Amino acid sequence: MAQQYCKLKSIKTVKGEVNFTFIYDESLENTVNDPYWLKEITLKNPSGEVQYSYVMNSYISAFPSSDVWGRKRILNFIRKNDKNNLKIEQTVFGYENSTQSGNQEGILEKITTPAGGVVEYKYEDRVYTNSASAAGNIAKRVKVINYYKNSIDITPEITINYDYSLFGTTSSSGYKYYGEIDEYNEQKQVSYILYKNVKVWETGKGYTQKTFITPNDYPKYLTNQIYVNYYYSWPYYDITRWGLPFREEVYDDQNRLLSQKETNYFFDQYFGSQYDFKITPETSVNISEHISGKRSYILKTIQTEKEFYANNQSVTKESEVSINAINLKPGYIKSLVSWWRTFSCGMES
């Protein structure tokens, strides 16, 4: 049976209409790209007159050269035109080019904004903690983002830095995870890196430390073993697989804690074989892992926010949200705000 596609053509309201123009490219069938690619978005008033439009310009990457079907579509620019199809503004995207720098083409390198400013992305290669082999365990990640006033400036106005080490150590907090089997293309493993800790700071200012919940916070456990085949169950994998925000702490440049936000999650899972899914892990020549899980959902969240002020004063906001398991919408919401001041007592002799 041929694959079918369903694309949004237009949105009509009393305030006007939005039209979407797609172009079909038969050569992209059975590749990682959608053969229908969005070329233009047009906005019209209630009378049907064009007000302005957005034009997307893109191309197919030449990387990887050995796998024609694996080459991805790259966005070149987004242009806003007026009702006469004349350019109003344009956002341009630049990428690393494998033929020039030896890096993987398709990784965003810079964005030129409509006002002429430039956002520059710098990456680094880093080893993550789990790998079945010494090779292939390097992943690119953002190290620095520079913001320039214009394209000729050599000194950025703002520099944002990122560090992915476990807080207080020099060890990477990255870990390699895998997707579900039905997400694989031609039996290729879909893997990605999640970081437990991320530190973000602007040069010359304070910093923010972010902690995420990952699948390893709810480790897989062995359910059966048949010779060299190990069968595991991994609870709540489908929820935690992309990382959930857990704690965010903001410090000033003197390492004083200014604010803290923490979210605690309570999970539950559905029962029955219809909710089972499989995960393909890394394997070695000696053993084979078979990992599965059950569909799960967030049962409740409790979020606590604290603001710290001078003279040992603080304000705490706490909110609780319970989720209805039937429609997965909030069924109960509670919030509380409290103000604290800490006093120190001493004795005089």
Side-chain angles (χ1 to χ4, degrees):
M1 181 178 180
Q3 188 172 3
Q4 296 183 351
Y5 300 88
C6 182
K7 300 298 179 183
L8 183 63
K9 185 177 181 180
S10 64
I11 301 175
K12 296 182 179 180
T13 72
V14 294
K15 295 183 178 181
E17 182 178 343
V18 181
N19 293 324
F20 301 87
T21 301
F22 290 89
I23 301 297
Y24 174 72
D25 187 343
E26 185 179 5
S27 67
L28 297 180
E29 290 281 2
N30 301 317
T31 71
V32 296
N33 296 287
D34 189 333
Y36 288 88
W37 55 277
L38 181 62
K39 181 181 180 181
E40 187 175 15
I41 301 175
T42 304
L43 289 86
K44 299 179 180 179
N45 62 20
S47 300
E49 300 170 326
V50 174
Q51 298 299 293
Y52 52 88
S53 62
Y54 293 91
V55 176
M56 273 62 69
N57 180 277
S58 62
Y59 64 95
I60 301 299
S61 170
F63 183 92
S65 57
S66 59
D67 182 9
V68 176
W69 308 116
R71 299 173 184 174
K72 296 182 179 181
R73 178 172 296 280
I74 304 297
L75 180 62
N76 188 24
F77 64 77
I78 300 175
R79 178 180 297 159
K80 182 179 180 180
N81 293 333
D82 63 14
K83 62 182 181 181
N84 297 315
N85 209 33
L86 298 177
K87 184 175 72 173
I88 300 175
E89 61 183 35
Q90 182 170 280
T91 301
V92 180
F93 304 88
Y95 304 86
E96 290 185 350
N97 192 308
S98 58
T99 60
Q100 296 178 0
S101 61
N103 295 315
Q104 179 175 328
E105 185 181 34
I107 297 179
L108 183 63
E109 189 173 49
K110 71 176 181 178
I111 299 174
T112 303
T113 68
V118 174
V119 183
E120 177 188 49
Y121 297 86
K122 296 290 187 181
Y123 299 88
E124 66 176 354
D125 292 332
R126 198 66 177 173
V127 178
Y128 48 86
T129 57
N130 61 314
S131 179
S133 62
N137 59 346
I138 303 294
K140 275 188 174 294
R141 63 192 185 192
V142 175
K143 179 63 177 176
V144 174
I145 302 178
N146 291 316
Y147 295 84
Y148 298 88
K149 187 175 182 179
N150 52 58
S151 60
I152 61 174
D153 280 358
I154 59 175
T155 302
E157 286 188 307
I158 299 174
T159 296
I160 306 297
N161 308 273
Y162 296 83
D163 184 85
Y164 304 86
S165 302
L166 289 168
F167 296 146
T169 75
T170 57
S171 301
S172 174
S173 68
Y175 199 90
K176 186 177 183 179
Y177 294 97
Y178 289 85
E180 300 173 25
I181 286 181
D182 60 5
E183 294 177 342
Y184 295 172
N185 177 30
E186 299 179 354
Q187 305 302 314
K188 294 180 181 179
Q189 292 178 324
V190 177
S191 61
Y192 53 94
I193 310 301
L194 282 184
Y195 292 96
K196 180 71 176 176
N197 295 152
V198 181
K199 180 180 178 181
V200 184
W201 72 98
E202 182 179 342
T203 300
K205 296 187 178 181
Y207 59 94
T208 300
Q209 290 189 157
K210 300 184 179 184
T211 301
F212 298 88
I213 292 175
T214 70
N216 279 346
D217 290 304
Y218 301 88
K220 64 180 183 290
Y221 56 90
L222 185 67
T223 59
N224 195 14
Q225 178 184 350
I226 304 177
Y227 299 108
V228 296
N229 293 282
Y230 292 79
Y231 296 85
Y232 293 88
S233 178
W234 205 324
Y236 314 129
Y237 189 90
D238 56 336
I239 291 181
T240 60
R241 56 176 292 193
W242 299 118
L244 290 173
F246 172 55
R247 182 184 295 119
E248 182 174 304
E249 298 171 314
V250 179
Y251 296 83
D252 65 13
D253 56 356
Q254 301 299 315
N255 293 320
R256 287 189 293 260
L257 181 61
L258 302 178
S259 66
Q260 181 184 74
K261 180 168 65 176
E262 183 173 300
T263 304
N264 288 284
Y265 302 86
F266 300 84
F267 304 127
D268 203 352
Q269 61 184 16
Y270 297 101
F271 294 94
S273 59
Q274 69 269 32
Y275 298 110
D276 292 348
F277 64 91
K278 296 185 181 299
I279 309 159
T280 295
E282 243 173 335
T283 58
S284 70
V285 295
N286 299 317
I287 65 171
S288 179
E289 290 186 342
H290 306 267
I291 303 178
S292 63
K294 286 188 177 294
R295 296 297 174 191
S296 50
Y297 61 94
I298 298 176
L299 184 66
K300 181 173 67 174
T301 63
I302 297 178
Q303 186 176 91
T304 304
E305 298 182 57
K306 296 181 179 180
E307 300 284 343
F308 300 95
Y309 303 99
N311 302 321
N312 296 319
Q313 299 182 61
S314 66
V315 174
T316 300
K317 301 177 183 179
E318 185 173 293
S319 62
E320 178 181 328
V321 179
S322 296
I323 307 300
N324 188 317
I326 297 177
N327 57 21
L328 298 182
K329 294 182 179 181
Y332 172 79
I333 300 175
K334 180 179 71 175
S335 60
L336 177 68
V337 178
S338 56
W339 178 87
W340 297 90
R341 182 173 181 180
T342 303
F343 298 92
S344 59
C345 299
M347 296 181 61
E348 295 184 0
S349 58

